[in-house]
Amino acid sequence: MSSIQYSYDVIVIGGGHAGCEAALASARLGARTLLLTINMDHIAQMSCNPAVGGIAKGQVVREIDALGGAMGKITDAATIQFRMLNRGKGPAVWSPRAQCDKVCYQRAMKFELENTGNLIIHQAEATGFLIENGNICGVRTRLEETFRCRSVVVSTGTFLSGKLHYGLLNFPGGRAGDPPSSDLSKSLSGQLGIRLGRLKTGTPPRILAKTIDFSNMIVQESESPEETFSYFPEDSTYPRALKKEMPCYLVKSTLKTAEIIRANLDKSPMYSGKISGIGTRYCPSFEDKVVRFPHHETHLLYLEPEGEYTQEYYINGISTSLPADVQVQMLHSIPGLENAVISRYAYAIEYDFVFPDQINRGLAVKKWPNIFTAGQINGTSGYEEAAGQGLVAGLNAARSANGKDPYEFGRETSYIGVMTDDLVTKEIVEPYRLFTSRAEYRLILRQDNADLRLCPIAHKLGLLSDAKFAMFSKYAEKLAAAEANFKMEKHNGQTIFEHLKSLAGDVSAKIGFPIGDLDISQEEDRRILRQLVITAHYHGYIERELKSVKNLQKLENWKIPADFNYDAVLGLRNESRMKLGKILPSTLAQASRIDGVTPSELTLLQVHLKRIFDKKTH
Ligand SMILES: Cc1cc2nc3c(=O)[nH]c(=O)nc-3n(C[C@H](O)[C@H](O)[C@H](O)COP(=O)(O)OP(=O)(O)OC[C@H]3O[C@@H](n4cnc5c(N)ncnc54)[C@H](O)[C@@H]3O)c2cc1C
């Protein structure tokens, strides 16, 4: 094919969870955006479990929604079971999770992309970059097309030089059924000089419902709460799942399953040294569980439907890279799965990733400031983590194309801010995944208030439409009025707010006191009441967190120029000097989070920055 040239503001490479949000965010900002992806039928594919949300991840989905992104509303369309996790703990760490119809999710996301202005999707494999005068100004594809652009987002997931492992068999692949992306990997390291490492992950087998005996399994029903992921209910024409309450099932592996694993460890690519990539501790393979926890006789497994119109079930908890015949033996040793037929075998995948110390908090590559990376390529794991980063990268790619500085989300604003800060400040030794424990401001970063935290920022940045912002403002005003009223009005000598405190965060408790003009037959008013019950419960603690946020913001206001010379700061230890010079923190607050940088070294930096600032202003 002859070389064709087209021109865009932003090109996004990869239509996975990161790439979709990146392309949508960029287009929302008005940038002419091109999304290149290897297979348009595989857009937003859930490579692993058919679910969105979960602990800390559910918060991210709500944040994406508050920032005008798509993951929340697409999940609502594709939901076949909804649960609020962590209900046994305080409401600060409750996390929504939805089982999804995988195919419905993909179709709805493709529909969203296709119907977004300023955005074109094109099926092609990006293979390299066009560089002119030391600047990246385009992307080349396998079919020798050249697309010119002002900035690029790379969100290629597990595809970079991907290698699939089924026992001792291995071959190149981006994930099962997809080719790897090897030329782009070479371009990132060879052409751009970006340092790449190797990580690994794995997925369990899928089995057919008609071959499963569910009769003795524990049923896990949908909680079918009225809550949805999205704050902005809309009458969209998305493809939708109709069954909203499909059950999941719980089973336990047996002693025999563990014996089969032990007898076949020599066929495991991990234990025989065939896999060099580093995997996750928190999401271990089944063989890892058996070896690391020999005292556990059984392990809990969840059978999760992959959708409304499919027989396939995902078996959560039995990810493995053992050979196909061993997988059959393993499953047949589990009650109810004696006759189970595997539709897709489990496997492990190794892939290249970009060491994220080479990117900044806006997700730009430090030495190529108009190229942004997002998702699995940055060493993270999970659809939600990928989508959150995608939104940040798309936003900043569009800003960069428009000559603006990248926007950085603070840790006090969102889990997205926690993640981007962690990624570029801490050393990545295994795939990064969000937990609520990673956030120091957990009481503020709740799933129920992401709109209050982020809609005003999103509207200012151009990520949230006027219509959605108006919807949010109406709600926020009503909430503020109700809170003010509850703090004033009294019942039996106590303010209503004090009465709310006595509910100890129990949002489903019976209310035995007046609640002003809130009408709990209305969903919006019920939400206001729930939110005030939570706020009242944490009131004192939230005040304390807000004070500590103020202190953090003081340090965040101390900006460190990208060309800051750490050698000129006398008194820094060599180790700190090296780390600071490598990570190039953008603020004193970020510098304070680098492992090993001491408070006295921070003071030295502060004094030095003040000197630079004074010189500039005099
Ligand atoms: C086998 C397996 C097991 C997993 N297990 C887990 C797990 O247990 N827990 C968990 O949280 N996550 C798991 N994941 C990871 C999860 O799928 C990812 O975190 C998530 O999909 C990352 O989103 P992403 O957008 O970064 O990449 P992906 O969803 O992988 O999307 C990448 C997209 O980029 C496209 N692409 C790649 N190269 C090019 C190119 N050169 N040109 C154009 N397009 C390109 C691909 O076609 C694809 O559409 C697993 C993934 C796999 C494959």
Side-chain angles (χ1 to χ4, degrees):
M1 190 177 282
S2 64
S3 170
I4 314 169
Q5 293 218 353
Y6 303 90
S7 192
Y8 289 88
D9 293 323
V10 173
I11 294 180
V12 177
I13 305 175
H17 305 280
C20 290
E21 292 295 346
L24 290 168
S26 164
R28 282 205 298 291
L29 257 74
R32 285 170 305 119
T33 306
L34 175 70
L35 172 62
L36 293 175
T37 197
I38 292 178
N39 187 334
M40 282 180 58
D41 290 331
H42 296 178
I43 279 175
Q45 182 167 317
M46 296 184 181
S47 315
C48 199
N49 59 330
V52 169
I55 294 170
K57 292 162 172 267
Q59 280 84 332
V60 172
V61 180
R62 290 240 154 109
E63 289 173 1
I64 291 169
D65 188 64
L67 291 165
M71 187 172 236
K73 59 185 180 182
I74 302 297
T75 302
D76 289 339
T79 294
I80 51 175
Q81 188 200 84
F82 190 100
R83 295 177 74 83
M84 186 65 82
L85 306 187
N86 262 352
R87 276 240 193 242
K89 298 186 179 165
V93 292
W94 289 356
S95 303
R97 179 185 190 270
Q99 208 63 49
C100 290
D101 182 307
K102 263 169 79 165
V103 175
C104 176
Y105 189 93
Q106 286 175 244
R107 289 179 62 213
M109 186 60 91
K110 181 163 177 272
F111 180 85
E112 174 78 5
L113 294 164
E114 286 172 342
N115 287 285
T116 294
N118 301 321
L119 176 57
I120 298 290
I121 320 172
H122 181 62
Q123 178 165 300
E125 180 194 344
T127 48
F129 301 92
L130 181 67
I131 301 179
E132 284 173 4
N133 304 321
N135 290 316
I136 294 176
C137 53
V139 173
R140 295 187 198 286
T141 73
R142 167 79 54 222
L143 298 180
E144 296 178 3
E145 300 153 296
T146 303
F147 294 95
R148 298 187 78 86
C149 61
R150 292 171 198 268
S151 51
V152 182
V153 175
V154 188
S155 46
T156 44
T158 51
F159 283 62
L160 293 181
S161 297
K163 192 197 249 188
L164 312 188
H165 293 265
Y166 294 79
L168 300 181
L169 267 181
N170 60 66
F171 47 87
R175 69 185 155 209
D178 274 313
S181 181
S182 300
D183 285 357
L184 192 68
S185 192
K186 284 182 203 133
S187 292
L188 285 167
S189 55
Q191 215 184 353
L192 306 189
I194 292 176
R195 207 162 21 93
L196 302 179
R198 206 89 175 127
L199 291 174
K200 78 141 180 95
T201 186
T203 195
R206 314 307 196 258
I207 51 178
L208 297 176
K210 60 188 172 192
T211 64
I212 304 171
D213 177 3
F214 293 105
S215 56
N216 289 318
M217 294 184 185
I218 300 168
V219 183
Q220 189 183 54
E221 300 285 0
S222 172
E223 283 178 349
S224 64
E226 59 192 7
E227 288 189 65
T228 50
F229 268 105
S230 180
Y231 294 109
F232 307 104
E234 53 180 82
D235 294 330
S236 67
T237 47
Y238 295 128
R240 282 182 184 278
L242 298 177
K243 288 187 195 152
K244 293 289 180 192
E245 300 190 26
M246 290 184 73
C248 295
Y249 298 87
L250 270 71
V251 277
K252 281 184 177 166
S253 65
T254 59
L255 275 173
K256 190 164 174 216
T257 326
E259 271 166 29
I260 294 167
I261 299 281
R262 283 193 206 98
N264 287 285
L265 274 181
D266 57 330
K267 296 176 192 134
S268 154
M270 247 178 353
Y271 287 91
S272 60
K274 290 251 178 215
I275 291 186
S276 56
I278 299 165
T280 47
R281 262 174 311 156
Y282 44 78
C283 200
S285 67
F286 196 75
E287 43 272 38
D288 255 351
K289 289 186 200 173
V290 169
V291 171
R292 277 167 40 193
F293 310 108
H295 47 289
H296 289 187
E297 293 186 350
T298 63
H299 295 271
L300 201 56
L301 308 173
Y302 292 81
L303 267 61
E304 303 176 353
E306 292 239 322
E308 198 176 352
Y309 298 103
T310 174
Q311 284 275 323
E312 285 190 293
Y313 268 72
Y314 171 95
I315 319 178
N316 199 335
I318 198 163
S319 157
T320 178
S321 51
L322 282 164
D325 58 329
V326 180
Q327 293 184 31
V328 174
Q329 290 177 48
M330 282 162 64
L331 291 192
H332 288 182
S333 69
I334 297 167
L337 305 187
E338 293 87 349
N339 299 308
V341 170
I342 296 181
S343 52
R344 306 179 202 213
Y345 288 112
Y347 65 97
I349 181 165
E350 274 185 288
Y351 54 93
D352 287 349
F353 78 105
V354 168
F355 282 104
D357 58 12
Q358 299 165 97
I359 58 178
N360 62 29
R361 288 199 286 182
L363 301 185
V365 176
K366 286 173 198 160
K367 62 176 164 185
W368 299 96
N370 67 338
I371 177 161
F372 298 79
T373 52
Q376 199 94 0
I377 189 175
N378 283 344
T380 62
S381 167
Y383 312 137
E384 306 77 4
E385 285 86 344
Q389 289 169 67
L391 193 145
V392 175
L395 160 73
N396 285 330
R399 286 174 68 86
S400 159
N402 204 8
K404 292 186 179 157
D405 285 338
Y407 182 82
E408 296 176 356
F409 286 88
R411 296 179 74 88
E412 75 289 4
T413 65
S414 54
Y415 275 92
I416 292 178
V418 170
M419 168 173 60
T420 46
D421 186 68
D422 277 353
L423 269 181
V424 306
T425 312
K426 301 198 183 316
E427 203 183 347
I428 293 293
V429 287
E430 62 179 326
Y432 177 95
R433 181 187 155 179
L434 271 170
F435 301 107
T436 48
S437 57
R438 295 206 193 262
E440 53 277 65
Y441 305 117
R442 276 193 292 287
L443 301 184
I444 300 175
L445 307 186
R446 304 189 312 266
Q447 53 83 26
D448 63 282
N449 69 357
D451 54 346
L452 297 169
R453 291 184 270 124
L454 294 170
C455 284
I457 301 176
H459 187 243
K460 226 183 249 168
L461 289 170
L463 284 170
L464 194 68
S465 67
D466 289 343
K468 282 189 173 178
F469 188 62
M471 215 188 279
F472 157 76
S473 302
K474 191 170 148 261
Y475 173 78
E477 279 161 24
K478 199 168 176 188
L479 175 72
E483 182 169 350
N485 185 33
F486 282 5
K487 284 181 173 164
M488 231 165 50
E489 293 288 320
K490 288 197 169 167
H491 174 70
N492 287 346
Q494 272 192 324
T495 65
I496 305 296
F497 200 69
E498 288 295 329
H499 282 288
L500 288 182
K501 274 188 193 169
S502 68
L503 300 180
D506 181 358
V507 295
S508 51
K510 243 190 149 53
I511 308 280
F513 44 86
I515 48 168
D517 51 9
L518 287 186
D519 172 5
I520 54 168
S521 70
Q522 299 300 313
E523 154 58 11
E524 187 180 73
D525 286 13
R526 282 199 298 276
R527 188 184 158 209
I528 288 177
L529 186 61
R530 278 200 301 271
Q531 202 146 20
L532 289 177
V533 170
I534 296 173
T535 317
H537 177 52
Y538 289 121
H539 189 58
Y541 301 102
I542 290 177
E543 295 285 301
R544 230 176 290 157
E545 263 191 17
L546 287 172
K547 256 190 211 150
S548 121
V549 164
K550 275 207 179 121
N551 290 337
L552 172 84
Q553 276 163 345
K554 276 187 206 147
L555 282 184
E556 284 290 1
N557 288 338
W558 284 86
K559 305 279 179 222
I560 307 180
D563 59 356
F564 186 82
N565 181 7
Y566 290 97
D567 289 335
V569 186
L570 299 178
L572 289 181
R573 287 167 314 132
N574 278 345
E575 188 199 343
S576 300
R577 197 187 303 280
M578 256 172 52
K579 281 191 179 167
L580 287 160
K582 186 173 165 199
I583 293 169
L584 297 178
S586 60
T587 64
L588 265 191
Q590 192 191 351
S592 74
R593 290 187 290 271
I594 296 176
D595 284 341
V597 173
T598 63
S600 59
E601 288 175 317
L602 277 184
T603 312
L604 291 175
L605 288 177
Q606 198 167 16
V607 170
H608 204 84
L609 284 169
K610 187 162 183 330
R611 248 184 249 143
I612 296 177
F613 181 75
D614 287 347
K615 244 190 223 163
K616 270 193 191 154
T617 48
H618 288 119

